[in-house]
Amino acid sequence: MNADKTVWLKIVSDSIIPLLGFFLWDWSIYFIVLFLCLDLISHELVYHLKFNFLRKAHNQSFSKDSLLSLPLVLVSLAIIQLSLLLLYTNSNPLKELIEFLSYEDMGIAQGYILIPLIGLMAFQEMKLFKMRKDIDTINIDTFIKTHIKKRAILLICSLVGLGLVYVQPPEVLILVLIILTLSVLQYLLSSR
């Protein structure tokens, strides 16, 4: 499969669960954002696993620069949580997370499906990365810089989302903006 098809497949697959959640499972934007935050955490974990795999494959020492993404993710998650608290003023983050994980569709709590699904997707991503034939040609510094760039853009998008909370757009518009933002970022930042 060529790089363009892979990028488009990733864009479509990243959009499916939020769209199904909103239109089929009656998820609120809060639920969708919680899912995306869990997905973000798994992607951050996979990044660190990929970095360690590359570091060992290249026989290089640990780079402190690889840890720069962690504060960006944590600040982004804090801004996202603040945005949700401002958008849903009567919400309790822990209660919302528990409701999200215990929400039942067809008699099964979705946490039993979504958490393993996120883990499986992360495992597959790491497995595919290890199978790459060009591991020896990947520049670790570029790998780190690209990831930091993605996290910096995430932080900027989180701040824009915080600003949008004050406009109070309808939930369907927020969903469209989330999916468009994720899709454009995936397309622009895809490794080719």
Side-chain angles (χ1 to χ4, degrees):
M1 187 178 306
N2 68 27
D4 283 339
K5 286 183 182 176
T6 303
V7 171
W8 286 108
L9 182 64
K10 180 94 172 96
I11 288 171
V12 169
S13 67
D14 284 351
S15 303
I16 288 175
I17 291 181
L19 287 170
L20 287 174
F22 189 81
F23 291 109
L24 185 64
W25 302 319
D26 200 28
W27 284 4
S28 67
I29 292 300
Y30 204 119
F31 273 23
I32 291 169
V33 172
L34 283 176
F35 170 77
L36 293 172
C37 287
L38 291 172
D39 193 45
L40 170 65
I41 291 166
S42 79
H43 282 290
E44 186 64 16
L45 176 64
V46 168
Y47 157 73
H48 291 285
L49 292 173
K50 286 179 179 179
F51 168 73
N52 279 324
F53 178 77
L54 276 177
R55 186 178 62 79
K56 290 175 185 173
H58 289 250
N59 259 345
Q60 290 192 356
S61 60
F62 184 78
S63 170
K64 292 178 186 172
D65 292 345
S66 70
L67 297 176
L68 289 175
S69 67
L70 193 56
L72 292 172
V73 167
L74 293 175
V75 170
S76 296
L77 287 171
I79 291 169
I80 291 167
Q81 187 56 50
L82 176 62
S83 300
L84 289 173
L85 288 171
L86 292 172
L87 191 60
Y88 298 95
T89 53
N90 296 328
S91 65
N92 174 334
L94 183 59
K95 181 181 174 227
E96 292 291 338
L97 179 62
I98 291 168
E99 282 183 22
F100 171 73
L101 293 173
S102 60
Y103 177 81
E104 288 189 12
D105 190 36
M106 296 184 292
I108 301 170
Q110 69 186 8
Y112 292 120
I113 297 169
L114 290 177
I115 299 297
L117 180 62
I118 290 170
L120 177 64
M121 291 182 337
F123 174 78
Q124 282 298 110
E125 184 180 344
M126 188 63 202
K127 184 177 174 185
L128 289 173
F129 184 77
K130 286 182 175 181
M131 292 172 41
R132 289 178 62 164
K133 293 180 173 135
D134 64 345
I135 289 292
D136 294 339
T137 64
I138 297 174
N139 182 297
I140 293 180
D141 291 331
T142 304
F143 179 79
I144 293 169
K145 286 177 186 174
T146 301
H147 186 74
I148 299 299
K149 182 179 176 183
K150 289 178 185 180
R151 294 308 179 232
I153 292 172
L154 170 69
L155 179 60
I156 292 167
C157 290
S158 300
L159 289 167
V160 169
L162 179 60
L164 275 176
V165 168
Y166 292 102
V167 178
Q168 299 264 332
E171 280 197 332
V172 73
L173 180 59
I174 295 172
L175 175 68
V176 168
L177 289 172
I178 288 170
I179 290 173
L180 279 175
T181 302
L182 293 174
S183 299
V184 168
L185 288 175
Q186 184 66 37
Y187 182 75
L188 292 176
L189 297 173
S190 62
S191 305
R192 294 177 188 247

